[in-house]
Amino acid sequence: MELQQPAHPLQPSPRKPIKVGFDENLNPNPESVSIRAQYRAQIVSAFAQHQATLCFIDGTFRKPLKAHLTPPQYQTLFGLVKPILSRYKTINRMITASATSENLEKVLKGIFTEKSVGKELEILSIQYTLNYYLKAVPMLNMLLQTEGGGAEHCSPGHHSKLSSILHHSHQKAGHKLEEMLESVTAFMAAYPPLLDCLLQETPIQSEQYCMLEATLNSVRASAKLVADAKEGLLLNADHYAALKVGKHRTNLLGKLFARTCQ
């Protein structure tokens, strides 16, 4: 697998796919950079690109739509976007400061196994995923109906204005609102493979290997919980009881499910 090392974090732009990756033209001589360095650069780029996607959603959809949604509609669709974005900003500040040194593995381990920001991102991601599939998708279907959508929440004239803004935002983004909102936590699935690739290029029993292994185990558990939330498995009592998670996850998830499923 040939990787490229970007000079700058990629920014999502209108009418381009939502993805994690590199511009193939950024590094004309990838052989000059070690495979391990390229994987490290890809991990940094992945987190930066996810933050940029959230910023794009915030500016293209959340801000223009805020005045045209009722408080319950706004909270359901966008209430968790800014808190998740805030955690990514914190994580990226920490990662960027270590990206050019040999401390990246130590910083990643601290974020996802010791510091609260990694645990907060996990819980917010699970909560967002449950909320999106239980509440946001039905609400989006209601709002996007061509006739009488959202009549119980807003007047026909107000709904027409909302539809117009949504249409304009879709054109600007190159993606529909539902596609952009679904991507908010979809990137969680990309982190375990990236970390695993870096782990395979790290000397076994080295300090960096031990730190990466601890980080990978934690991030993999987080990604698994988000995937289970997407599939609706976390709403199953038997599945929840069978979860092999730490004490902090068990306590927070219990409260989370009770609040989200109300």
Side-chain angles (χ1 to χ4, degrees):
M1 178 180 176
E2 187 178 83
L3 299 177
Q4 308 285 333
Q5 184 179 26
H8 304 286
L10 295 180
Q11 301 294 319
S13 57
R15 303 189 179 283
K16 286 190 177 182
I18 305 169
K19 63 181 181 178
V20 174
F22 293 128
D23 183 336
E24 61 184 10
N25 298 316
L26 286 175
N27 188 356
N29 187 20
E31 290 79 11
S32 66
V33 182
S34 72
I35 294 295
R36 192 165 187 277
Q38 291 179 59
Y39 278 127
R40 285 162 61 93
Q42 191 167 8
I43 290 170
V44 174
S45 179
F47 281 99
Q49 189 174 27
H50 197 173
Q51 178 183 324
T53 299
L54 288 167
C55 289
F56 192 63
I57 293 170
D58 189 65
T60 304
F61 289 100
R62 186 190 68 81
K63 291 178 180 177
L65 289 173
K66 184 174 183 179
H68 301 278
L69 295 170
T70 66
Q73 290 170 343
Y74 175 82
Q75 183 62 29
T76 296
L77 296 179
F78 298 108
L80 291 171
V81 172
K82 290 197 74 174
I84 292 175
L85 174 57
S86 175
R87 271 58 178 193
Y88 268 94
K89 288 180 177 178
T90 300
I91 289 171
N92 276 310
R93 282 196 298 269
M94 299 171 70
I95 289 177
T96 302
S98 65
T100 59
S101 72
E102 288 301 314
N103 291 326
L104 179 61
E105 290 82 359
K106 182 177 181 180
V107 171
L108 288 171
K109 179 178 181 293
I111 290 170
F112 292 103
T113 68
E114 300 167 8
K115 297 185 183 299
S116 61
V117 64
K119 297 178 178 67
E120 290 167 358
L121 178 62
E122 175 190 88
I123 294 299
L124 285 168
S125 297
I126 297 166
Q127 184 179 4
Y128 180 94
T129 303
L130 286 170
N131 178 77
Y132 178 77
Y133 289 100
L134 288 175
K135 298 179 181 180
V137 170
M139 180 170 289
L140 280 170
N141 291 336
M142 177 193 71
L143 291 173
L144 296 173
Q145 286 176 359
T146 56
E147 294 183 5
E152 68 271 32
H153 295 290
C154 56
S155 66
H158 186 86
H159 179 70
S160 176
K161 180 67 173 177
L162 179 62
S163 298
S164 175
I165 293 174
L166 275 172
H167 179 69
H168 174 73
S169 297
H170 290 171
Q171 289 183 318
K172 180 180 178 182
H175 296 280
K176 294 182 178 179
L177 174 58
E178 52 268 40
E179 294 172 335
M180 297 297 288
L181 290 178
E182 188 172 5
S183 76
V184 168
T185 56
F187 278 57
M188 288 292 290
Y191 304 144
L194 286 173
L195 289 166
D196 189 50
C197 287
L198 179 59
L199 187 68
Q200 301 309 312
E201 296 294 328
T202 304
I204 297 177
Q205 296 184 345
S206 67
E207 186 179 5
Q208 286 83 1
Y209 189 96
C210 295
M211 290 187 291
L212 277 172
E213 191 172 40
T215 304
L216 175 59
N217 289 337
S218 182
V219 173
R220 186 176 280 156
S222 298
K224 176 66 164 58
L225 288 170
V226 171
D228 287 351
K230 179 179 179 180
E231 296 299 323
L233 295 175
L234 295 186
L235 302 177
N236 184 301
D238 293 334
H239 183 84
Y240 175 67
L243 285 175
K244 303 297 183 182
V245 297
K247 184 177 180 180
H248 84 272
R249 288 190 174 115
T250 302
N251 293 340
L252 287 173
L253 286 174
K255 297 176 182 177
L256 172 64
F257 299 153
R259 182 168 66 249
T260 304
C261 300
Q262 286 178 350

